[in-house]
Amino acid sequence: MTGIPSFTGDASPYGGGDPYADYRTAEFPFTQYADLADRRLGAGVIAANDEFFAERENLLKPEAAEFDPEHFGHKGKIMDGWETRRRRGASAAEPHPTAEDHDWALVRLGAPGVIRGIVVDTAHFRGNYPQAVSVEAASVPGSPSPEELLADDVKWTTLVPRTAVGGHAANGFAVDAEQRFTHLRVNQHPDGGIARLRVHGEVAPDPAWLGVLGTFDLAALENGGQVEDASDRFYSPATNTIQPGRSRKMDDGWETRRRRDKGNDWIRYSLVAESAIRAVEIDTAYLKGNSAGWAALSVAAEGSEEWTEILPRTRLQPDTNHRFVLDAPAVGSRVRIDIYPDGGISRLRLFGSLTEAGAARLTARHQELGG
């Protein structure tokens, strides 16, 4: 956690106006990685020991937490997060919770992977946030129930030791555990509320599953594809282009600012491993007056900057899914899409299969990560 800004203590009571005006946050170096706890990937909060004031499912909502000072219900103030009741001690003589007392929630990652950093966001929890948090992780195959995850034979690895956090703040923690995890246990000591949880990392797919599929989307986030870099992220992140499913609204794709020069915008991707691409989809769904005018696609070997064009500059239509069958399989580990001159696309799909070398490397990596 060296070099990661930290926050402790209460925030000031809400005094009106913009509730985020005094929100404490920072730039965390690991947020370049995808959120493995994204609901779009299939993540879920599958259990919690207490959710008296606010439901556990709020933890993974994709949008920032909202605050309505007038919103009260039968149990009290309604918060946009996960909030437990106040813990009490065993008796009048011992009214305070013990040092071991804590609340917990079990989180299923949307895609198993290597975790690089975690954000425990206490937005709007100003005096009712946990004193400290800790996070553990486990790798359990299949679709385990909460009871199976809590069994004595499950090995949990501490990713974030018990650490003091601040109210109304984004509390970030760098993680250094080169292992593949499927589930998290988020603990708040002794009680309180957390608005959002973000788990940034790299997807580590199961090579046996991909091998059975044969042909699949080689760039998809859930299959291990990644965005390396992009020329512009002004309106929306480039990672949106490899999320599951079709875009449902304009900001669910990738859109750049308007160019006033003669250049063009682009995204570079790492595929799951060396692959043979046979078909391409470029979707501009919901991008109607701002879709890219043209697009071209190129492929390169891992670590190489020698790009080979596999789809020449081609006219795109607004709000349309474009499909292209390549004349011959294009082999590589990296792909670059160039759009002209600017605008956006909602999704990029690259269908094909792993090469023999790519499958071998993916299997070796899976074993290194304990899979």
Side-chain angles (χ1 to χ4, degrees):
M1 291 180 279
T2 304
I4 302 294
S6 60
F7 307 100
T8 55
D10 293 348
S12 300
Y14 175 63
D18 179 8
Y20 275 105
D22 60 341
Y23 176 66
R24 294 176 287 176
T25 187
E27 293 291 329
F28 300 119
F30 48 75
T31 54
Q32 61 177 301
Y33 296 103
D35 182 6
L36 302 180
D38 194 321
R39 281 289 300 166
R40 290 174 292 181
L41 287 175
V45 187
I46 61 175
N49 72 306
D50 188 296
E51 47 187 330
F52 185 86
F53 286 114
E55 297 84 359
R56 64 184 191 261
E57 289 86 358
N58 290 333
L59 279 174
L60 305 187
K61 289 165 70 173
E63 63 275 1
E66 298 180 351
F67 180 73
D68 181 353
E70 309 279 332
H71 198 191
F72 285 82
H74 293 294
K75 294 181 179 179
K77 181 74 186 72
I78 295 176
M79 297 294 288
D80 186 11
W82 167 49
E83 185 180 6
T84 66
R85 72 193 80 199
R86 299 187 189 217
R87 280 185 170 268
R88 297 292 185 245
S91 65
E94 297 290 341
H96 303 101
T98 69
E100 291 74 32
D101 287 343
H102 68 279
D103 292 319
W104 53 263
L106 295 176
V107 177
R108 178 190 64 243
L109 297 180
V114 181
I115 299 169
R116 302 302 184 189
I118 295 172
V119 178
V120 178
D121 190 346
T122 59
H124 315 304
F125 289 92
R126 296 169 177 269
N128 51 346
Y129 60 95
Q131 181 183 29
V133 300
S134 61
V135 182
E136 303 160 279
S139 182
V140 183
S143 304
S145 67
E147 293 75 20
E148 290 170 326
L149 287 170
L150 294 172
D152 292 339
D153 61 345
V154 173
K155 177 187 175 184
W156 290 92
T157 299
T158 298
L159 302 186
V160 178
R162 184 169 175 167
T163 305
V165 295
H168 196 43
N171 301 278
F173 305 93
V175 174
D176 183 19
E178 203 67 18
Q179 298 179 55
R180 179 182 186 266
F181 295 113
T182 61
H183 294 79
L184 296 185
R185 184 162 60 190
V186 181
N187 306 304
Q188 39 182 345
H189 308 268
D191 54 40
I194 298 170
R196 297 290 187 267
L197 176 73
R198 305 293 185 234
V199 184
H200 297 280
E202 301 170 70
V203 175
D206 181 352
W209 173 254
L210 296 182
V212 168
L213 292 180
T215 296
F216 58 92
D217 183 357
L218 304 160
L221 186 59
E222 61 189 322
N223 293 333
Q226 296 183 60
V227 168
E228 290 183 353
D229 199 3
S231 60
D232 188 293
R233 299 177 175 88
F234 190 84
Y235 286 113
S236 45
T239 304
N240 281 352
T241 61
I242 54 175
Q243 289 281 4
R246 294 200 73 200
S247 171
R248 297 187 177 183
K249 52 194 175 82
M250 190 173 72
D251 67 351
D252 190 21
W254 172 60
E255 182 189 358
T256 71
R257 74 191 81 195
R258 299 187 188 211
R259 277 192 169 266
R260 302 307 186 197
D261 58 18
K262 299 300 182 182
N264 74 283
D265 289 314
W266 50 265
I267 305 174
R268 290 200 309 265
Y269 302 89
S270 290
L271 305 182
V272 55
E274 184 185 78
S275 308
I277 306 166
R278 293 189 290 274
V280 175
E281 284 189 1
I282 302 174
D283 196 351
T284 58
Y286 290 95
L287 295 161
K288 298 181 179 180
N290 49 358
S291 67
W294 292 263
L297 208 64
S298 302
V299 66
E302 183 175 353
S304 172
E305 292 298 331
E306 294 185 13
W307 296 93
T308 301
E309 188 174 75
I310 60 174
L311 181 71
R313 194 179 304 187
T314 302
R315 187 76 169 96
L316 300 182
Q317 299 300 320
D319 194 26
T320 300
N321 191 25
H322 309 77
R323 290 179 170 176
F324 308 94
V325 176
L326 302 184
D327 293 335
V331 175
S333 301
R334 307 174 68 212
V335 166
R336 171 176 169 139
I337 187 168
D338 287 272
I339 63 169
Y340 300 88
D342 55 24
I345 61 172
S346 62
R347 295 290 188 270
L348 175 68
R349 305 296 189 211
L350 304 174
F351 296 103
S353 54
L354 297 173
T355 63
E356 187 175 340
R361 179 160 186 177
L362 192 64
T363 298
R365 175 66 170 156
H366 188 68
Q367 293 171 347
E368 289 172 6
L369 297 174

